[in-house]
Amino acid sequence: MRLLLATHNEHKRRELARLLVGHEVEMLPPEVTLPPEEGETFAENALGKARAAAQATGRASIADDSGIEAAALGGAPGVRSARYAGEDATDEENLARLLREAPAGSALECVCALVYVDLPAGVERVFEASCKGRLAADPRGVGGFGYDPAFLPDDMDWSPPTLSPSTPGPPTPGPPTDEGQSTLTMAELTDQQKDAISHRGRAARALLAWLNEG
């Protein structure tokens, strides 16, 4: 199935295309404007984007809204994760503000709401998932995007990639902490490892299972 992703963010398109195996994920045409993310929940924002994309194109559309919630900040930045350091802030600026305001080692939770909207069929579905972790003292790694370089996931339920002895690759997961948590940030994981535990990976697998049922 061809799915229109209501985003102009190529990072998100690539990640969801990798996750939604067997379906073609296309990015929203640049001339289509998405509504401002003014909802109080991730699901509200995702539905607003998917409905706008479906209305503008007449196609079945998907959208996600995701962000990070810091326990030390009362759940902030939450739905304002993409604009935490200002309306036009970069990923680096948003991450720098989080590192200034939340203590290293404090609890974090990444949340994703992924929605499917088909207006002619009158179908709307919402799939939500999360991934818990801790804040690293400093950003590390070159993979992923957003807050990945400072997010240390609690969940270590991944399978490390198989590499030949002569094949260079990313670091293998380091020794776990006393609590059995990862010592690698999300940005230091392979795509395979990240997809297995990330909030977006979990939401995408739920959407994929539903799509394949039909």
Side-chain angles (χ1 to χ4, degrees):
M1 176 186 292
R2 292 173 61 214
L3 296 169
L4 182 65
L5 177 61
T7 187
H8 296 119
N9 184 328
E10 176 60 15
H11 288 294
K12 281 192 177 183
R13 191 207 66 80
R14 285 201 304 267
E15 187 167 327
L16 282 167
R18 187 173 70 239
L19 290 162
L20 296 174
V21 178
H23 301 273
E24 185 177 353
V25 179
E26 301 175 359
M27 194 152 61
L28 191 67
E31 64 270 16
V32 178
T33 301
L34 293 173
E37 296 179 344
E38 297 177 339
E40 295 185 2
T41 67
F42 295 108
E44 287 178 24
N45 286 332
L47 281 167
K49 291 185 286 187
R51 288 167 180 162
Q55 182 68 45
T57 64
R59 294 177 53 187
S61 300
I62 60 174
D64 99 305
D65 192 42
S66 54
I68 195 165
E69 298 176 343
L73 304 177
V79 292
R80 290 194 55 80
S81 293
R83 307 176 300 282
Y84 193 39
E87 289 301 318
D88 299 313
T90 64
D91 284 354
E92 292 76 16
E93 290 168 339
N94 288 327
L95 179 57
R97 180 178 176 185
L98 180 65
L99 288 167
R100 286 195 306 269
E101 296 184 351
S106 58
L108 301 174
E109 185 169 12
C110 288
V111 180
C112 174
L114 180 60
V115 307
Y116 173 95
V117 172
D118 184 341
L119 292 179
V123 176
E124 290 189 349
R125 290 296 300 265
V126 179
F127 304 88
E128 296 182 281
S130 65
C131 177
K132 295 183 179 181
R134 297 161 293 119
L135 183 64
D138 299 292
R140 304 195 309 267
V142 296
F145 59 99
Y147 295 90
D148 287 350
F151 186 86
L152 294 162
D154 287 348
D155 195 338
M156 296 180 66
D157 184 20
W158 62 62
S159 298
T162 301
L163 300 173
S164 66
S166 60
T167 303
T172 56
T177 66
D178 292 340
E179 295 78 20
Q181 299 160 325
S182 172
T183 57
L184 296 182
T185 69
M186 278 290 202
E188 293 178 296
L189 302 181
T190 65
D191 289 345
Q192 176 192 13
Q193 291 168 338
K194 178 184 176 182
D195 291 348
I197 62 173
S198 75
H199 53 312
R200 191 171 292 112
R202 289 168 171 163
R205 283 191 292 278
L207 169 61
L208 182 62
W210 178 76
L211 289 171
N212 290 343
E213 285 176 359

